[in-house]
Amino acid sequence: MQILFDIVLPVFGTLFIAFFSARAGIVPPKVAEGLAGFVFTFAVPSLLFDNIVRHPLPDPIEWNYLISFFGAAYLVWLIAMAVSRFLFRRDFAHASMAGMSAAFGNTMLGLPLVLNTFGETGVLPIFLIIAFHSWQFFGLATILLESSRRQKGAISALPLTIAKSLATNPIIIGLLAGLLCNLGSVPVPKPVTDITGFLGQAAMPSAVFVMGASLAKFRMAGAIREAVAACVLKLLLFPALTYVIATHVFDMQPLWRDVAVVIAALPVGINVFLFADRYEAGAPVAATAMLLSTFLSFGTIAAVLYLLGVR
């Protein structure tokens, strides 16, 4: 589990620096807001574009494997939304982010973890999930959040509003541009990949810093119960459902099943907070869930690997 410490320690270190800097007034709120805009508009889209164009989609695609993982993900998303709506009495936008928290994992941690655990044989399975991961969840989150903004009586304008939001969302643009270049085998000029690669390097540390600075203005105590619920769904139910589907619904190689389960057990990804903060929909809960799930994942991932027989 040394790989967990090596990756998670810089995340928590950056969070604490940002948190105390914001509390001390070294980082004013406007600076954090400006950095958040940079991350959402330029850094993350560049990172996604760069990753997609550099990693061609596998051929043939293992659909049973993808259905096992994403089928479990969407089930957990629906359950989390129901818990948020009916147990915690939250609005639809907040519930949408609760669903994303339960389904969207930190692939930044997952990639080195899978490669360190399974070696080169884990490359294809994890990249297959990464290839489908972001654009599905970001697209669904955008649709749900835009739907929540519509007033009663304005349903007829909803499809156009959603289409406009998707077409102008920088993250969706980065994803679609990367997919089009990838699927169409469109050569991307080296200066473009140099720029997107350079900007993409700033995405994760900047996003973590923004979250740390934002935590300084949130009252985390009021978000603990919902964050704990999200962690239970993300760290326990999601991998359990993935295992059941991959084992009892489909027949696949143990290696592919194990990689899917490990990825499902990853903590909440930072991009959930970016969406929640952008749409002002449960950002304190998203941030708290990300922090708590990352900490708890030291034990849950170790338990998952033990139960799968990975030593």
Side-chain angles (χ1 to χ4, degrees), residues 4-270:
L4 286 172
F5 286 97
D6 292 342
I7 296 171
V8 170
L9 183 60
V11 173
F12 277 98
T14 302
L15 275 168
F16 286 130
I17 291 172
F19 179 85
F20 289 112
S21 295
R23 277 289 175 91
I26 298 173
V27 179
K30 288 186 178 180
V31 173
E33 291 173 7
L35 183 58
F38 162 74
V39 171
F40 193 89
T41 306
F42 296 103
V44 170
S46 295
L47 175 67
L48 295 171
F49 174 84
D50 192 60
N51 281 338
I52 292 174
V53 298
R54 290 181 186 275
H55 300 106
L57 293 175
D59 185 23
I61 293 175
E62 295 285 345
W63 293 110
N64 288 352
Y65 170 72
L66 290 176
I67 293 172
S68 297
F69 179 85
F70 288 105
Y74 288 126
L75 282 173
V76 170
W77 191 312
L78 286 173
I79 293 170
M81 287 187 68
V83 169
S84 180
R85 287 283 283 170
F86 301 113
L87 180 61
F88 295 107
R89 304 296 181 182
R90 299 299 188 179
D91 61 26
F92 188 80
H94 191 119
S96 298
M97 286 295 90
M100 190 178 184
S101 295
F104 191 94
N106 184 356
T107 53
M108 179 181 68
L109 170 61
L111 181 57
L113 176 63
V114 167
L115 295 182
N116 184 71
T117 303
F118 299 99
E120 291 298 316
T121 56
V123 172
L124 182 58
I126 189 170
F127 274 120
L128 187 56
I129 284 181
I130 289 176
F132 285 82
H133 188 260
S134 295
W135 64 266
Q136 284 196 66
F137 291 154
F138 290 160
L140 177 58
T142 301
I143 291 171
L144 292 175
L145 289 165
E146 288 297 336
S147 299
S148 71
R149 286 182 165 185
R150 304 307 301 170
Q151 301 295 325
K152 291 182 179 179
I155 300 299
S156 60
L158 183 57
L160 182 60
T161 300
I162 292 175
K164 182 179 179 181
S165 178
L166 290 172
T168 57
N169 186 310
I171 290 181
I172 302 298
I173 292 172
L175 284 167
L176 290 179
L179 280 172
L180 289 174
C181 291
N182 191 318
L183 296 175
S185 300
V186 178
V188 181
K190 187 176 183 300
V192 174
T193 56
D194 288 344
I195 293 172
T196 56
F198 185 68
L199 284 170
Q201 291 176 18
M204 289 302 104
S206 297
V208 172
F209 193 93
V210 167
M211 191 174 74
S214 298
L215 283 172
K217 65 181 181 182
F218 294 146
R219 182 176 172 270
M220 291 181 61
I224 291 295
R225 291 178 63 224
E226 289 182 76
V228 169
C231 290
V232 170
L233 295 173
K234 182 68 190 73
L235 301 178
L236 300 179
L237 183 59
F238 188 4
L241 284 176
T242 302
Y243 179 86
V244 169
I245 297 173
T247 304
H248 299 290
V249 177
F250 297 109
D251 182 20
M252 67 182 66
Q253 300 176 33
L255 170 70
W256 285 70
R257 178 203 63 198
D258 292 351
V259 171
V261 172
V262 169
I263 300 173
L266 294 173
V268 179
I270 184 94

